[in-house]
Amino acid sequence: MIRHLTCSFLFLSLAAATARADEIRLKNGDRLNGEIIRMEKDRLTVKLPYADDKVRIDWKQVECIASERDLTVELSDYEVLVGPVTCTDGAIQIKSSRAGTSNPISLKELRTVNPATYHGFLTAGGSIATGNTDTKAATLSTLFQVRTKRHRFTVEAKYAYGEADSRTTVRNSLGSLKYDFFTTDKVYTYAQTLLEKDSFANLNLRNTEGLGAGYQFFDDRALSLYAEAGISYFNEDVIVGEDRQDAAGRWAAGLEWEAVPDRLKVFHRQEGYYTPSVSGVTLRADQGVRISLVNDIAANLEVDYRFNSRPEAGKRNSDLLFIMGLTYQYDYW
């Protein structure tokens, strides 16, 4: 008797869970039942009850979606509706507690579903070698970003350390904070600050603070590309030698290209300063590839380049750092 009651309870629980599941109708006729996580940049992420990993579906292959839960839907004109979603003739209707039931909305009019407000990544890499030469190296970097229609906040930090035969050979770090205000979908103004330290480049602290303008050429799942230009206050506190404070021109650019969908991403970020009074150029450029492994974890292969056209006596004007590690990408919505 107890066994029959237990089986009945489990059956009813499963049936209730299935009834509450969201529905995704594809253009090829298939129907999926699961939990809609979000849709951004033409990619629908779904958690299916019979799969361990999240499933990502090309939004162009989706015929319709439905959910008894409240979904946050952002339209192409940035209007936001929240409520259960029903499917009707290849379109959706949203039952909002404030505005009532909407008119049928084509999926082409949807900008995002449950949009991620916060996202970022954490990368860690390192190496150890023993034998004729004992070497150790470690790098840690993170980037955290908050984006709304008009505002974007970006925080970045990076640290690298290395030693050979118990002697420190690499030790540098940086931190940056940046705010972008979008006057249109693509044009924005920015305010930024950057802090850098590098013991082996004779740099006790470099601090820049500046204003400028940028242009977001692309910002979708397959391709993100921007460029910036502005002016900055440039301050260098060196370990040995004369400190320097001056005005400088600043430029920056960033690229993320999904060369193989869901598998391979190529990235490049650079930031440079030109100081007219001494005709000096300072540049940092990070580039590499990320190869998806499982869920939100990817292998990270990266080359960081640093250049200073006016190094202190006895110092080279450029540095290269090769990084192999793992990246974890996260989102909050």
Side-chain angles (χ1 to χ4, degrees):
M1 180 69 178
I2 295 176
R3 184 175 63 183
H4 289 306
L5 288 174
T6 303
C7 292
S8 299
F9 176 76
L10 291 175
F11 177 79
L12 291 173
S13 299
L14 180 60
T18 303
R20 291 194 301 270
D22 304 330
E23 182 181 57
I24 301 94
R25 302 180 189 178
L26 303 181
K27 292 181 178 179
N28 65 2
D30 291 346
R31 294 194 180 192
L32 302 175
N33 293 99
E35 180 187 357
I36 293 174
I37 304 299
R38 68 181 178 275
M39 186 282 288
E40 278 191 315
K41 299 183 178 181
D42 294 326
R43 184 55 56 90
L44 177 66
T45 303
V46 181
K47 182 68 176 71
L48 301 177
Y50 46 81
D52 293 334
D53 298 340
K54 297 173 185 176
V55 176
R56 294 175 173 85
I57 304 169
D58 187 345
W59 185 242
K60 296 178 182 178
Q61 304 304 317
V62 177
E63 178 72 23
C64 198
I65 61 174
S67 176
E68 296 180 5
R69 303 180 297 121
D70 283 354
L71 298 182
T72 301
V73 178
E74 184 181 31
L75 306 182
S76 56
D77 61 357
Y78 292 99
E79 180 183 2
V80 175
L81 299 174
V82 180
V85 177
T86 57
C87 186
T88 171
D89 297 327
I92 65 168
Q93 287 184 290
I94 304 166
K95 188 177 181 181
S96 171
S97 59
R98 293 184 177 181
T101 302
S102 69
N103 293 324
I105 303 171
S106 168
L107 264 63
K108 294 180 180 179
E109 298 182 54
L110 270 61
R111 185 179 181 89
T112 62
V113 176
N114 290 345
T117 306
Y118 311 92
H119 74 272
F121 64 80
L122 178 66
T123 299
S127 65
I128 297 177
T130 61
N132 293 321
T133 302
D134 293 329
T135 63
K136 300 176 183 177
T139 61
L140 183 67
S141 64
T142 185
L143 185 146
F144 178 76
Q145 193 171 88
V146 182
R147 174 69 195 270
T148 65
K149 177 183 177 181
R150 294 295 187 190
H151 311 279
R152 181 170 63 190
F153 295 89
T154 305
V155 180
E156 182 183 7
K158 180 171 285 191
Y159 177 77
Y161 176 82
E163 65 177 46
D165 294 329
S166 301
R167 182 174 60 88
T168 303
T169 56
V170 176
R171 184 168 56 218
N172 58 62
S173 59
L174 69 83
S176 70
L177 177 64
K178 186 163 165 286
Y179 166 66
D180 304 321
F181 176 75
F182 283 81
T183 54
T184 71
D185 285 350
K186 294 183 178 294
V187 178
Y188 60 91
T189 57
Y190 72 81
Q192 61 81 220
T193 182
L194 171 70
L195 298 173
E196 287 185 279
K197 293 175 66 69
D198 192 335
S199 303
F200 290 87
N202 195 43
L203 183 61
N204 188 48
L205 180 66
R206 176 184 293 134
N207 169 231
T208 70
E209 298 174 357
L211 302 170
Y215 191 84
Q216 190 79 46
F217 295 93
F218 304 97
D219 190 19
D220 56 35
R221 176 181 54 83
L223 179 63
S224 175
L225 176 65
Y226 70 86
E228 299 172 350
I231 57 173
S232 292
Y233 167 73
F234 191 89
N235 176 51
E236 276 192 350
D237 177 13
V238 296
I239 299 173
V240 178
E242 185 178 349
D243 298 340
R244 181 157 59 102
Q245 300 87 31
D246 214 329
R250 175 187 179 273
W251 76 90
L255 166 72
E256 285 199 1
W257 174 43
E258 198 173 58
V260 180
D262 295 325
R263 295 298 178 189
L264 176 66
K265 180 171 287 188
V266 179
F267 65 90
H268 170 79
R269 296 185 301 273
Q270 67 166 274
E271 182 177 12
Y273 296 87
Y274 174 70
T275 308
S277 61
V278 294
S279 298
V281 174
T282 302
L283 171 70
R284 69 182 184 100
D286 305 338
Q287 46 273 310
V289 296
R290 295 194 184 99
I291 304 169
S292 295
L293 299 177
V294 59
N295 288 339
D296 297 319
I297 298 176
N300 186 76
L301 307 176
E302 183 175 340
V303 178
D304 290 358
Y305 176 70
R306 303 291 181 266
F307 176 78
N308 184 354
S309 65
R310 298 176 62 84
E312 297 297 327
K315 301 294 182 179
R316 296 182 179 180
N317 61 9
S318 63
D319 289 287
L320 274 176
L321 179 63
F322 296 90
I323 302 171
M324 297 180 63
L326 296 175
T327 293
Y328 170 67
Q329 184 165 325
Y330 53 86
D331 300 273
Y332 299 98
W333 52 90

